[in-house]
Structures are given as C-alpha cells and as structure tokens.
C-alpha cells in the first residue's frame, strides 16, 4: 500500500511542477527512506483517478501511525509529519526564487500567480482546511463588509499541549515570521516549514521577504517581512515602503498594522506588512468630505465614509504622498483633544498612531491613513477604542489591519454557537438557560422581533446580524464617531494640518 501512495504522491508532485522528471527517482528514494523501506516496485495499475493531496497524505499518515513511524496521531504530530513528507517534494529556495524572477520579468502578476499556486501545491497553504472557513458578505450603511469565521487553524490536542509544556524552549527561529522558518522542521510549539519558500524583495533600500499566509484570510493573502527580527514601527519610511511594494506589485494592496499594543497586530516584535490580491470593503468606500493640504496641492485628500477614522490621499507622486503622510502622522502623534477624549500620551506612554494601507488605481497611488489610539480607562481596560464589552460575545480580539479594511476574522467558537442558537430559536428554548450561548441572549432579543423566522432563513438572519455587530465593532475602534459631534472633532484635527 505505501509504495502505491509514494508513487501517487510523486506523480502529484510532477503534475504540480514540484518534482522534475530528472529528480523522480531521487524523490522516490527519499520517501522510501522516510518510511523505513529499502525496496520499491512501481504499481502495475498506474491509471488511477487523481486524488486531492490531503487524501494522499491522510493515507500516508495512517500507515505511518499503524507501523510505529508516527508515535501519536495528534493534529500537531500529523502536521509535523506530513510537512516533512512535502518537504521532500519541495524545490530548493534558489530554484523557486529563479522561477519567480523569470516570471516577474514577464509580469508581476505572472510571478505571484506562480508563487501562490506553488504555495498551495506544497501544502504550505492547506486548501482543505481553508475550505472549512465560513464566509459571507453583509450589507451595511458603509457598504458590503466581508465576514469570515476562521476554522482553518486546528485546535490543540491536550496531548500536544502537555508535550509542548515539557519541551525545552528554543529561541530559534525568533518568531513565526523570521526567515529562518524556511525549511525548519518545527516542534510541538512551532509549526514545521520544510515546504515553505520565501521570495526576497527590496523596499526602501532594505531587504524584505515575501510569503503567503498559511491561513489565507482573503485571496493571495501575503506577508512582507523584514529580513531582520526588528520591532514594528510606523514612520515615514513605512509609507515609502508600502508605496514601493504596490509599485512593484500593482495588482496587490499592502498595509501595516499599527505599532502600539491593543491597536497593533499579534506580532509587534517583527517588522512586517500584509497585502494581497483583494479589493477590501474600505477600498470601495468613497470620500465623505474632501480638504486641501496647503503644502501638498497636487494631492487629493479627504475623509473616507467608513466606521473608523480614515484619511485618504491620492497622487501620482509617491514622494509627495510619503511626505504628506509623514506630516499627518507627526501631527497625529502629538495631537490631544480633551473634549473628544483623545490624548496623545498619559504619564509618558504614547497613544496615537496610524494604520496605513496602500494600493493603486491605474497609475494613481492611494494611501489610507487610519487614525488609532490605544488609551485605556477603568470602564474599558482593554482599550477605549476597542470592541466594547457588549460586543465581546461576537468579537473581543484586537482590531488589526485586516479588520480595519473591512474583513471580520471571527473566532472558530462562533460556528458551533451559531448552530446552537439556530436550534434554540427554532425550538423556542430559553437562551439564558443554555450555558454555552447564554452570552448571546441580550443580542438576540434586540433583533428577533424584526423577523418572521423559519428553518430556511435562520442561518442567513444570524449571518446578517453578526455582520451588523462587526460594523458596530469597527465604530468602537474609530477614534471619531460617525455622529455630528464626532465629525466636528475630526474636522478640528484636519484643521491643524
């Protein structure tokens, strides 16, 4: 059986362009060694219907576990093992980079098309898991907003958690973004990356690397990370680098998480950006009002109609855009408006920063600057401009770059909770009596009377109402609210520019 699986996998590698025909025997022998075999005979029947990669790997894992090659069949152990398998099929970094460069010489899109397909073919992006994510679009007053319940990150097995706790701690690689992840075997608390390849690029005269996110929250979700393990920082150079990236890859957008806790991303210790071939809801939002920047007359500037506080700049001149963005950042870093409860610092701790996003429209560069503030209060210890407590039943995590742009990444727990809610609502159960979903009771009471609910429409209704909550969550994160008072306060800041 295992010899048939080896043949099937190598044949998959050839068809996907991972294995050159000249390397077929070498890769086959490498797989034989992994499975402790010294003999091989090509199967007589080679006309089998091609199967999905995850099905082949699942059969290989089952064989390995039954034959003592894989000690335990936990998710982590299986992931470590099947990544090791795929690493034997994955071309060397130098080969991947050469192919990317050759295709980039034809067009940037041809290069990224190749690299994205390659990252899926190697199983670095696990398509079978990504397909489990639940996604939909909710219409709001700010336009259609994307919602996803993230189901692609597997839950930890208690056996894996126990082993990770006992394992010797390693500082290599320094984090999940570092270039040293390329080809790394991984362990209980760090994913295997033998099938991972990165593409070096230059931004602002510094070396960065391009890769795709293994969880792909949107089409061609990429990460652009500094070659060095240095902290996130939003400054003039950041704007220049983002604009250079979209100039090099004009079909992509690129943005950066803010550089302060609460309003920043999950990995503030490593300088990186995120991008991809996707038009986010915020990119479709129009100017609500426009204003002039006296020192930058060639720039079209305005406030975007969006639940968060966004200044949009447009120009063909990237130097002017960079300088204007730096001017706004400098002004915002030191700006205090006590009436609007915006403080640039308290007790020496800075609070104001920006989440920047760059994109291109034909030959015009566009830079969105999202004003952020991470101040906390006794009533809002997790952040005043953070999802408020009444929405934590849906979303309590930080609002990072992806959410800012209008794509909700919601926790996996919601999938099961929504199923329980559907059942409870249809059967007229008291939601407050059900421990796992009691936290949703107040929310359901707010909208349940607005619908004639049936088994056919309950799922869509829940999806719509979750989307409405997410729009409110974005309003929570906005430093200036979408009210008469909020707009007047926003204008006070604009007037200082």
């Amino acid at each position: 059986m295992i010899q048939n699986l080896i043949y099937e996998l190598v044949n998959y590698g050839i068809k996907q362009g991972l294995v050159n025909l000249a390397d077929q025997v070498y890769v086959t022998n490498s797989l034989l060694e992994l499975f402790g075999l010294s003999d091989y005979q090509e199967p007589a029947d080679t006309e089998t219907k091609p199967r999905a990669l995850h099905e082949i790997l699942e059969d290989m894992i089952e064989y390995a576990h039954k034959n003592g090659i894989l000690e335990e069949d936990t998710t982590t152990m299986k992931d470590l093992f099947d990544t090791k398998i795929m690493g034997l099929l994955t071309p060397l970094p130098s080969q991947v980079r050469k192919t990317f460069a050759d295709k980039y010489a034809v067009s940037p899109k041809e290069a990224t098309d190749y690299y994205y397909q390659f990252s899926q073919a190697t199983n670095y992006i696990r398509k079978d898991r990504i397909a489990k994510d639940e996604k939909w679009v909710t219409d709001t007053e700010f336009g259609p907003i994307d919602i996803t319940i993230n189901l692609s990150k597997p839950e930890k097995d208690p056996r894996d958690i126990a082993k990770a706790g006992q394992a010797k701690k390693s500082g290599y690689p320094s984090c999940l973004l570092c270039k040293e992840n390329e080809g790394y075997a991984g362990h209980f608390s760090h994913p295997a990356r033998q099938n991972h390849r990165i593409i070096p690029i230059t931004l602002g005269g510094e070396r960065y690397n391009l890769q795709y996110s293994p969880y792909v929250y949107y089409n061609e979700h990429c990460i652009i990370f500094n070659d060095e393990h240095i902290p996130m920082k939003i400054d003039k150079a950041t704007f220049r680098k983002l604009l250079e990236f979209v100039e090099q890859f004009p079909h992509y957008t690129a943005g950066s998480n803010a550089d302060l806790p609460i309003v920043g991303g999950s990995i503030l210790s490593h300088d990186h950006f995120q991008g991809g071939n996707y038009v986010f809801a915020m990119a479709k939002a129009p100017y609500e009002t426009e204003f002039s920047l006296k020192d930058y007359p060639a720039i079209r500037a305005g406030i975007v109609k969006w639940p968060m506080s966004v200044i949009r700049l447009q120009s063909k001149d990237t130097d002017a855009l960079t300088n204007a963005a730096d001017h706004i950042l400098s002004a915002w870093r030191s700006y205090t408006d006590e009436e609007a409860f915006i403080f640039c610092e308290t007790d020496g701790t800075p609070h104001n920063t920006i989440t920047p996003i760059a994109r291109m429209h034909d030959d015009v560069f566009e830079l969105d600057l999202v004003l952020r503030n991470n101040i906390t209060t006794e009533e809002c210890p997790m952040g005043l401009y953070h999802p408020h407590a009444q929405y934590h039943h849906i979303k309590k995590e930080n609002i990072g770059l992806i959410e800012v742009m209008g794509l909700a990444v919601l926790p996996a727990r919601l999938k099961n909770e929504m199923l329980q809610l559907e059942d409870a609502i249809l059967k007229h159960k008291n939601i407050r009596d059900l421990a796992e979903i009691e936290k949703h009771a107040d929310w359901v009471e707010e909208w349940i009377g607005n619908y004639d609910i049936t088994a056919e429409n309950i799922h869509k209704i829940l999806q719509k109402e979750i989307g409405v909550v997410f729009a409110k969550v974005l309003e929570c994160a906005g430093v200036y609210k979408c009210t008469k008072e909020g707009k007047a306060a926003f204008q006070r800041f604009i007037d200082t520019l």
Side-chain angles (χ1 to χ4, degrees):
M1 172 190 176
I2 188 60
Q3 293 185 353
N4 289 0
L5 291 172
I6 289 173
Y7 173 84
E8 189 176 11
L9 183 64
V10 173
N11 201 44
Y12 164 88
I14 292 169
K15 288 182 177 179
Q16 293 294 324
L18 301 177
V19 178
N20 191 293
L21 281 173
D23 301 323
Q24 181 177 2
V25 172
Y26 179 85
V27 173
T28 298
N29 286 336
S30 298
L31 288 165
L32 290 172
E33 180 184 5
L34 178 62
F35 286 96
L37 303 174
S38 57
D39 189 29
Y40 177 75
Q41 185 173 354
E42 192 173 288
D45 182 11
T46 59
E47 297 299 320
T48 56
K49 183 180 178 181
R51 293 194 296 162
L53 175 60
H54 72 92
E55 294 175 346
I56 303 170
L57 293 174
E58 284 166 6
D59 286 347
M60 285 184 150
I61 288 169
E62 183 180 358
Y63 173 90
H65 185 239
K66 285 181 178 178
N67 288 272
I69 300 167
L70 183 63
E71 291 182 12
E72 292 184 337
D73 62 345
T74 65
T75 299
T76 297
M77 290 297 290
K78 290 190 289 187
D79 283 0
L80 290 170
F81 188 73
D82 71 10
T83 303
K84 187 175 185 178
I85 291 173
M86 290 307 298
L88 298 176
L89 276 70
T90 305
L92 289 172
S94 57
Q95 295 173 264
V96 178
R97 294 170 188 180
K98 183 182 184 306
T99 303
F100 185 91
D102 290 344
K103 292 185 178 296
Y104 187 89
V106 177
S107 78
K109 188 175 186 306
E110 186 160 329
T112 56
D113 284 350
Y114 151 75
Y115 185 42
Y116 190 58
Q117 187 278 328
F118 167 86
S119 298
Q120 295 173 85
T122 62
N123 210 39
Y124 168 72
I125 296 173
R126 296 174 180 263
K127 292 195 296 182
D128 59 305
R129 291 183 182 171
I130 303 299
K132 296 176 183 177
D133 290 351
E134 184 170 347
K135 300 179 180 182
W136 69 93
V137 176
T138 297
D139 289 325
T140 73
E141 63 177 297
F142 305 101
I145 287 181
D146 297 304
I147 312 291
T148 177
I149 296 178
N150 173 36
L151 302 169
S152 55
K153 286 187 179 180
E155 293 185 12
K156 289 288 185 181
D157 187 293
R159 292 172 290 175
D160 292 329
I161 295 171
K163 285 199 173 185
Q166 298 165 4
K168 182 181 177 181
K169 303 302 179 187
S170 169
Y172 179 89
S174 297
C175 76
L176 291 169
L177 291 181
C178 286
K179 63 184 178 183
E180 289 81 11
N181 282 280
E182 187 177 44
Y184 187 59
H187 48 76
F188 290 108
S189 54
H190 196 106
R193 290 289 182 254
Q194 292 103 321
N195 58 349
H196 178 42
R197 300 293 181 261
I198 61 178
I199 305 295
I201 60 174
T202 300
L203 299 174
E206 297 179 41
R207 180 158 167 158
Y208 279 74
N209 298 285
L210 174 67
Q211 68 176 54
Y212 289 107
S213 166
Y215 304 111
V216 195
Y217 293 137
Y218 50 86
N219 187 48
E220 297 177 47
H221 177 187
C222 68
I223 300 172
I224 309 109
F225 63 96
N226 198 302
D227 209 52
E228 302 296 325
H229 183 76
I230 57 175
M232 297 277 291
K233 185 179 181 182
I234 301 297
D235 58 12
K236 183 177 182 179
T238 303
F239 305 132
R240 185 173 301 281
K241 291 170 187 175
L242 291 173
L243 291 167
E244 280 190 19
F245 180 81
V246 297
E247 187 171 26
Q248 292 178 32
F249 300 94
H251 58 300
Y252 272 17
T253 189
S256 175
N257 268 302
D259 54 357
L260 293 178
I262 297 176
V263 296
S266 57
I267 306 180
L268 291 175
S269 61
H270 196 133
D271 173 34
H272 70 284
F273 314 130
Q274 294 184 74
N277 187 9
Y278 191 73
V279 180
F280 287 89
M282 190 172 80
K284 302 172 188 175
Y287 284 102
E288 188 168 43
T289 60
E290 296 191 36
F291 58 87
S292 299
L293 292 168
K294 60 181 180 180
D295 293 332
Y296 307 96
I299 289 179
R300 182 186 182 193
I303 295 171
V304 178
K305 182 176 173 56
W306 192 244
M308 296 185 70
S309 309
V310 186
I311 294 172
R312 176 168 292 164
L313 307 177
Q314 291 181 332
S315 177
K316 294 183 179 182
D317 185 342
T318 56
D319 287 336
L321 276 177
T322 300
N323 291 330
D326 185 52
H327 168 64
I328 293 169
L329 173 65
S330 298
W332 179 244
R333 291 275 196 201
S334 60
Y335 184 75
T336 290
D337 182 345
E338 293 188 17
E339 183 183 345
F341 209 87
I342 292 170
F343 296 88
C344 65
E345 59 87 23
T346 53
D347 299 323
T349 300
H351 296 305
N352 287 354
T353 186
I354 277 176
T355 299
I357 301 106
R359 63 185 75 89
M360 290 199 73
H361 289 299
D362 297 321
D363 59 345
V364 175
F365 291 88
E366 184 171 275
L367 198 56
D368 282 351
L369 306 176
V370 188
L371 307 182
R372 312 298 302 274
N373 180 289
N374 75 344
I375 197 168
T376 60
T377 65
E378 287 187 12
E379 296 79 15
C380 300
M382 297 176 72
L384 179 62
Y385 305 108
H386 178 86
H388 289 177
Q390 67 263 40
Y391 305 126
H392 285 185
H393 64 105
I394 298 294
K395 175 77 174 177
K396 65 179 179 180
E397 297 80 13
N398 294 350
I399 300 301
L401 171 67
I402 295 172
E403 286 91 357
V404 164
M405 295 189 289
L407 193 159
V409 181
L410 302 180
R413 63 172 173 82
L414 278 177
K415 176 73 172 180
N416 186 52
E417 290 173 14
M418 293 305 104
L419 290 173
Q420 290 187 54
L421 269 177
E422 289 179 25
D423 180 72
I425 291 169
L426 290 173
K427 294 180 179 177
H428 305 288
K429 295 179 182 177
N430 187 344
I431 295 171
R432 297 186 189 278
D433 293 337
L434 304 173
E436 193 170 350
I437 58 173
E438 184 275 336
K439 58 179 170 253
H440 297 297
D442 288 345
W443 169 61
V444 171
E445 287 180 1
E446 290 175 9
W447 52 260
I448 194 168
N450 299 332
Y451 299 97
D452 181 13
I453 295 175
T454 66
E456 288 71 33
N457 68 14
I458 181 63
H459 191 67
K460 291 289 186 183
I461 289 170
L462 280 170
Q463 286 184 333
K464 175 187 174 183
E465 293 298 332
I466 288 172
V468 170
V469 168
F470 180 66
K472 291 177 179 177
V473 161
L474 290 182
E475 289 188 64
C476 290
V479 293
Y480 295 115
K481 305 309 175 190
C482 302
T483 61
K484 181 180 178 181
E485 295 77 14
K487 291 177 181 180
F490 201 165
Q491 188 60 47
R492 288 199 294 274
F493 172 66
I494 298 299
D495 291 342
T496 70
L497 300 176

